[in-house]
């Protein structure tokens, strides 16, 4: 009697492999997102077109529209991928777990180091964030929600640091969150413009000056 595939112990715990047209469609969507990332990071959303993206992949415009109905749908996919990869949001690289285990300061410095390997995605977010400051930009609301989520997530992480005694009990988590995001984005932009900028050194200096007790060997926390 033949063992049913789902009962075969050799297959237990192994995810089903996607085959056929679905796998090809998923791969094509990934390629389109990657090409769009390059185009938007170079020309911005306004300056980059679906035709530019199709040309990069040697595809027809119809093929692009088949996977992403509109340019804005593609923009959303590009932004979500970029933010999950390099953002300070907790979706990427277990940042939340790192903050809980090591504290915001050490988790942030580790993220800064990892982001140095992803200049194209950082440039994409920087360009689109600047463009979206105009209220009529398609990504305006997306960036409003992104920054709101970042502030809330980091504020919660700083509050947790406070309960763990990693930072002074008098620190304001909301204010620290805003200052960290502003410093992080500013140093990142300077590095994108001039790669000789030492982003990690600048971020470490922020913690040394603003929250010295958050780093190993920093000032002792006072109640």
């Amino acid at each position: 009697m033949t063992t049913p595939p789902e009962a075969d112990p050799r297959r237990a715990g192994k995810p089903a492999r996607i085959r056929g047209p679905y796998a090809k469609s998923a791969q094509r969507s990934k390629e389109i997102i990657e090409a769009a990332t390059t185009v938007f990071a170079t020309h911005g959303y306004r300056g980059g077109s679906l035709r530019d993206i199709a040309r990069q992949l040697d595809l027809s415009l119809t093929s692009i529209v088949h996977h992403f109905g509109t340019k804005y749908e593609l923009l959303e996919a590009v932004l979500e991928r970029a933010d999950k990869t390099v953002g300070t949001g907790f979706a990427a690289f277990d940042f939340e777990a790192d903050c809980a285990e090591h504290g915001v300061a050490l988790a942030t410095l580790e993220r800064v180091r990892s982001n140095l390997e992803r200049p194209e995605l950082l440039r994409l977010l920087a360009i689109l964030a600047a463009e979206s400051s105009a209220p009529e930009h398609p990504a305006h609301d997306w960036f409003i929600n992104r920054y709101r989520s970042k502030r809330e997530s980091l504020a919660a992480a700083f509050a947790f640091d406070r309960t763990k005694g990693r930072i002074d009990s008098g620190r304001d988590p909301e204010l620290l969150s805003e200052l960290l995001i502003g410093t992080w984005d500013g140093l990142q932009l300077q590095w994108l413009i001039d790669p000789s900028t030492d982003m990690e050194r600048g971020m470490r200096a922020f913690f040394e000056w603003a929250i010295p007790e958050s780093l190993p060997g920093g000032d002792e926390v006072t109640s």
Side-chain angles (χ1 to χ4, degrees), residues 38-64:
T38 299
V39 169
F40 292 154
T42 304
H43 304 291
Y45 176 76
R46 303 285 194 197
S49 70
L50 293 181
R51 292 187 185 279
D52 294 329
I53 297 163
R55 196 176 300 116
Q56 282 228 351
L57 296 170
D58 196 23
L59 294 175
S60 67
L61 183 60
T62 302
S63 181
I64 302 294

Side-chain angles (χ1 to χ4, degrees), residues 2 8 10-12 16 27 32 55 60 71 73 77 93 108 118-119 139 148 162 166 191 202 204 218:
T2 304
D8 188 341
R10 292 170 298 179
R11 298 173 63 90
Q27 178 60 30
I32 292 171
R55 196 176 300 116
S60 67
K71 184 180 176 184
E73 285 181 27
F93 296 107
T108 298
R118 303 174 179 86
R148 181 179 295 128
R162 197 171 57 179
R166 292 169 179 157
W191 175 73
R204 180 175 289 276

Side-chain angles (χ1 to χ4, degrees), residues 3-184:
T3 303
E6 63 272 17
D8 188 341
R10 292 170 298 179
R11 298 173 63 90
K14 293 184 178 180
R17 183 175 298 174
I18 300 174
R19 296 183 175 88
Y22 294 106
K24 291 180 180 178
S25 179
Q27 178 60 30
R28 179 63 77 197
S29 294
K30 180 181 177 183
E31 292 169 355
I32 292 171
I33 291 172
E34 289 174 351
T37 296
T38 299
V39 169
F40 292 154
T42 304
H43 304 291
Y45 176 76
R46 303 285 194 197
S49 70
L50 293 181
R51 292 187 185 279
D52 294 329
I53 297 163
R55 196 176 300 116
Q56 282 228 351
L57 296 170
D58 196 23
L59 294 175
S60 67
L61 183 60
T62 302
S63 181
I64 302 294
V65 175
H66 170 73
H67 287 83
F68 298 92
T70 65
K71 184 180 176 184
Y72 178 64
E73 285 181 27
L74 180 53
L75 173 66
E76 281 192 316
V78 167
L79 287 171
E80 293 297 336
R81 171 180 175 265
D83 199 39
K84 287 179 180 178
T85 305
V86 305
T88 56
F90 286 162
F93 296 107
D94 291 328
F95 189 49
E96 182 179 26
D98 288 345
C99 284
E101 183 175 356
H102 304 294
V104 176
L106 294 183
T108 298
L109 292 173
E110 178 57 34
R111 177 58 55 79
V112 168
R113 284 189 289 270
S114 70
N115 280 356
L116 292 173
E117 302 172 7
R118 303 174 179 86
E120 185 178 64
L121 294 180
L122 296 178
R123 185 170 293 109
L124 169 82
L125 290 169
I127 289 173
L128 294 179
E131 278 191 351
S132 71
S133 62
E136 69 275 9
H137 192 280
H140 183 73
D141 288 342
W142 189 91
F143 274 98
I144 286 177
N145 292 330
R146 177 179 188 255
Y147 275 106
R148 181 179 295 128
S149 175
K150 287 170 64 174
R151 288 193 302 270
E152 291 173 354
S153 297
L154 284 170
F158 275 120
F160 182 73
D161 275 0
R162 197 171 57 179
T163 65
K164 298 289 287 186
R166 292 169 179 157
I167 64 174
D168 191 282
S169 61
R171 301 289 189 188
D172 182 338
E174 286 75 21
L175 179 58
L176 289 178
S177 171
E178 293 175 1
L179 292 174
L180 174 55
I181 291 171
T183 302
W184 197 335

